[in-house]
Amino acid sequence: MGMTRDELVGKYKNIRHWFESVWAVMKNGYPARKLKVIGVTGTDGKTTTCHLIYEMLKTAGKKVALVSTVAAYIGDEEIDTGFHVTTPDAKFLQPLIKRIADAGMEYLVLETTSHGLDQHRVLGCNFLVGVITNITHEHLDYHGTFAKYKAAKMKLLRMAKRPIFKYAKTKIKITNPALVGEYNKYNIGAAIAVVRMFKVQDSIINKVVRNFAGVPGRMEEVKLGQKFRAIVDFAHTPNALEQVLKTLNAQCAAHRKLILVFGCAGLRDILKRPMMGKIARKLADVVIVTAEDPRTEKLDDIYKQIVSGITPLNPPLTSQDASRRLDLRGGNPKGGGDILREDNRQKAINLAVSLAKRGDIVVATGKGHEKSMCFGMVERPWSDVEAVKRAIRLLE
């Protein structure tokens, strides 16, 4: 049986990426060979794990750089990469690696995606260590099947000279609010497995876990003196959303409510949309569905796919209806939440904040640290953190 048109296009596109990567590596003098490169991939937890590894190595006195979804760090220098993808094309990545090597760094922690692995963007990165945080549903719009997605992730372990196939969640007692949640115990466990290869002492590991400042857009709390908690998190996969909501539910006091603002990105994996709708309804008390990088898709279509996972589904409430329902309902049922729709993300966050009462938790997921949102073919400036701040200030 021959290949489909999409499969042929994908194959030749990846061949083009391969040649571009070879040229970029040669042009920049194969800079990764001068470094100990640590690759981290996985559906969720990549960024936090990368930052933990970076901080542990740095605290141990190692000359270390980091390239993650959030930014690039060379020693004490922070570089806004501006990447809207985690693993950039080789024509951007290889000059950055050269800059890192030229700065005298010894280690590089590189966040690595399935797209980057499949498209040869990390060819020539000379991975010494590779670790996978987890593999759950994501990117099937690109890979086609979960098996192909998993195979792309596994390439990192085949490329690494010292792959880490197995590690346990940490047994360290976590008191740091930046590392709450069962999932972070596994992120910490992965980081520990890596740094122990380089003889980082337990005292340093414990110090970093205790003092870790967190990662922008990962369970990032906005505090402006309001009487409720406001959180921004990058969770944009079914597993990540479930883990975040479970973690926040555990922190939500009795008779208090968890109010969620979320959406699903346009032109991306549509199969996860009903899954995320089901998770949201099950674990949040109020769910406000809104825009999240709709690109060229209609918000109507995205909304219908999200709520198709929710049965039975009542018509979306107005903000006035939701407010009355919350007042009448009183106690927190922990799930089975009301569904609202507000396509304007700022207005959706404003609504969530306006509904919150003392002790409630408001969480906006899906955008995290990102600094733009895509409508049509245009990237517009955006920040969930700033949007939450604006919403809270409206209460004054």
Side-chain angles (χ1 to χ4, degrees):
M1 186 175 178
M3 287 186 173
T4 65
R5 180 182 179 278
D6 287 345
E7 287 172 334
L8 285 169
V9 170
K11 179 179 179 180
Y12 287 108
K13 184 179 180 181
N14 284 357
I15 290 172
R16 189 199 76 198
H17 278 294
W18 185 87
F19 279 111
E20 287 179 351
S21 295
V22 169
W23 170 245
V25 171
M26 293 172 62
K27 183 180 179 181
N28 289 280
Y30 190 11
R33 63 182 171 177
K34 301 175 184 177
L35 300 164
K36 295 181 177 71
V37 182
I38 299 159
V40 180
T41 194
T43 308
D44 304 305
K46 296 185 296 295
T47 307
T48 298
T49 301
C50 282
H51 282 251
L52 283 165
I53 294 168
Y54 169 74
E55 291 295 340
M56 289 173 184
L57 291 174
K58 186 178 177 182
T59 304
K62 312 290 187 184
K63 293 181 178 180
V64 58
L66 166 65
V67 177
S68 80
T69 304
V70 175
Y73 302 84
I74 305 176
D76 294 322
E77 182 184 7
E78 179 178 340
I79 303 165
D80 183 0
T81 58
F83 303 139
H84 200 65
V85 293
T86 299
T87 309
D89 288 341
K91 63 184 176 183
F92 299 110
L93 181 59
Q94 290 300 323
L96 184 58
I97 295 176
K98 183 178 186 299
R99 181 175 173 181
I100 289 166
D102 291 347
M105 297 294 108
E106 183 182 0
Y107 296 84
L108 167 60
V109 184
L110 179 60
E111 187 171 352
T112 310
T113 63
S114 61
H115 288 68
L117 289 159
D118 189 62
Q119 295 176 359
H120 311 291
R121 296 181 203 165
V122 292
L123 187 148
C125 283
N126 198 39
F127 290 108
L128 176 62
V129 177
V131 65
I132 297 176
T133 56
N134 53 64
I135 304 177
T136 61
H137 185 109
E138 177 67 325
H139 298 310
L140 299 198
D141 57 305
Y142 174 82
H143 295 285
T145 67
F146 184 75
K148 289 180 179 178
Y149 173 54
K150 183 177 180 181
K153 290 289 191 188
M154 295 300 291
K155 284 183 181 180
L156 177 63
L157 299 187
R158 294 198 298 272
M159 295 170 73
K161 296 180 181 70
R162 297 165 68 181
I164 297 175
F165 289 100
K166 191 175 182 180
Y167 57 87
K169 67 179 181 180
T170 185
K171 294 182 180 178
I172 297 172
K173 184 178 179 180
I174 308 300
T175 57
N176 185 341
L179 292 170
V180 296
E182 191 72 10
Y183 60 96
N184 269 320
K185 292 180 180 180
Y186 286 97
N187 294 336
I188 296 166
I192 291 172
V194 170
V195 300
R196 279 186 173 157
M197 288 187 167
F198 305 109
K199 304 189 186 313
V200 174
Q201 297 177 356
D202 286 349
S203 59
I204 289 173
I205 291 170
N206 290 329
K207 180 180 179 181
V208 169
V209 171
R210 187 169 59 250
N211 298 324
F212 188 63
V215 179
R218 279 32 173 210
M219 289 297 246
E220 183 174 353
E221 189 153 0
V222 179
K223 297 180 179 180
L224 293 179
Q226 73 275 15
K227 297 177 182 179
F228 54 89
R229 294 180 64 199
I231 310 288
V232 170
D233 193 88
F234 192 46
H236 61 284
T237 69
N239 178 63
L241 183 63
E242 182 175 11
Q243 296 305 318
V244 164
L245 295 181
K246 282 182 175 179
T247 298
L248 293 177
N249 257 325
Q251 298 175 7
C252 208
H255 310 301
R256 298 279 40 101
K257 299 171 184 68
L258 178 58
I259 303 170
L260 167 67
V261 178
F262 93 110
C264 288
L267 304 184
R268 297 295 184 266
D269 188 352
I270 66 173
L271 296 178
K272 71 179 182 180
R273 293 173 184 174
M275 297 167 65
M276 294 179 71
K278 184 177 181 180
I279 290 164
R281 175 70 177 280
K282 179 182 178 183
L283 296 174
D285 300 306
V286 179
V287 179
I288 305 173
V289 180
T290 191
E292 181 201 313
D293 294 299
R295 299 183 174 88
T296 57
E297 275 199 76
K298 294 179 180 179
L299 286 168
D300 273 347
D301 294 338
I302 296 173
Y303 174 79
K304 287 174 184 175
Q305 288 167 346
I306 289 173
V307 299
S308 69
I310 302 170
T311 53
L313 176 66
N314 297 320
L317 300 173
T318 66
S319 59
Q320 293 81 6
D321 288 338
S323 184
R324 283 196 295 270
R325 285 275 289 274
L326 285 175
D327 287 339
L328 290 169
R329 201 167 53 176
N332 187 351
K334 294 297 180 213
D338 294 324
I339 306 293
L340 294 85
R341 176 180 174 181
E342 171 51 70
D343 291 350
N344 182 299
R345 194 171 179 94
Q346 180 66 66
K347 289 182 179 179
I349 291 172
N350 292 352
L351 174 56
V353 165
S354 72
L355 293 173
K357 294 180 172 58
R358 182 184 294 273
D360 290 347
I361 300 177
V362 173
V363 57
T365 65
K367 294 298 295 174
H369 65 284
E370 292 184 337
K371 299 176 182 178
S372 68
M373 185 155 49
C374 188
F375 292 87
M377 304 294 287
V378 180
E379 292 283 348
R380 300 178 186 175
W382 178 261
S383 164
D384 263 10
V385 171
E386 293 305 315
V388 171
K389 288 179 180 178
R390 286 191 290 270
I392 293 171
R393 291 186 181 115
L394 288 175
L395 299 177
E396 296 174 357

